[in-house]
Amino acid sequence: MRSLSLATVFAALSGFVVIYIATWALDVEQAEEFQAYWGLFFACTGFLDGLMQETTRGVSAARESGRRGEGRPWRLGVVLAFGALLIVALTGFWWMPLLVTGITGSATAFMAVGLVSYTFQAVLSGILSGLGLWTRYAGLIALDSGVRLALAVIAWAAGWGMPAFILITVIGAASWLVVLASSAEARQAVRAGVDVDRAPLARRVGSAMLATGASAVLITGFPVFITATTGPDVDTNVTVAGIILAVTLTRAPILVPLQRFQSALIVRFVEKRSNLYSALATPVAAVLGLGVVGGAAAWLVGPWILEIFFDEGYEVPGLILAVLTFASACTGSLMITGIAALSVERHRSYVIGWIMASAVALAVLLLPLPLEGRVCVALIIGPLAGGLVHLAALRGAARAQLTH
């Protein structure tokens, strides 16, 4: 587990550094486009993380109970990969020009191939996590992030520009091929089964994907919605690029490691179903405490960091950075309560909680408020609304367990 902790910290730091490098390697307009593309890709992978989560739960439950159904995550992954390829290939001409200019064809192709590869990476991640092969899973995470970081540094030094950063966004999704090629243990693990048959597996993966897709709206895709809902006459004291950068940077230290730790939390909650509230309290308290401490630090040194390390146009006041940091902790708490609901097979409530959170956040984002105000309020109120749904479901699960 120590290796997983180190890998998640490295993933958070490397994502931060890649975005930072992009702000220097590209002009402000290109950097804004890159952040939107980055956000969309990881929002789409957020949908596919539902496959990883349910695979983790199914493999872990099969290992704990000894039950083995006929469900095959790899086969389902092939179907989902083909679906992702078709959707991007057939619709990219319409929405890609809204994100990037001049290289829409290659950007669409990279997006399609990247999502196909990430589908299989999600399956392998779920299997490795469900079997408790944390060192192998940590290696996959570190490789995914390390490839992006190394190539970003090379692209900056070589002056390769926007096309290279588009490729860098998606290339880490091929890491699963390296892990399988280099590890006999990982190749043997791919035969692991889940505890349910094909139809229940497909339904549960679909539910999990709806929830993780909704979570991606709040976590990685939110900059896309900021861009889409902000007109040229917006009422704001900061630039759109500045607020997008602030959202991205304040999320990375909390949510990127937590995203990578989801599989470990699922295994923890599956093993501690009989004492779920106690198992839930520690990570929620830790994340909220980190949000308070991190928010104070962001208020004090955040504006200075933006001024020193970033170009003009990215200035954001300390109070906004503090609120956005605590908002990230609220989203992190929602992730944890959602994972707990999934672990006790409350798939419907898991989905409803995330959809509620995203819907409330997007509704607030449409209010006639200054940009920075509606972004901050949306990212706090939305997760709180969704968390209440999850907690209600967990209370119902606890009551049902007592009656048995």
Side-chain angles (χ1 to χ4, degrees), residues 23 27-28 31 35 239 241-242 245 306 310-316:
T23 64
D27 60 38
V28 174
Q35 289 183 58
T239 65
L245 180 65
L306 292 178
F310 293 90
D311 206 351
E312 293 184 4
Y314 295 102
E315 299 86 357
V316 178

Side-chain angles (χ1 to χ4, degrees), residues 167-186:
L167 175 60
I168 288 166
T169 301
V170 306
I171 198 167
S175 300
W176 67 280
L177 291 169
V178 178
V179 171
L180 281 183
S182 61
S183 171
E185 187 179 31

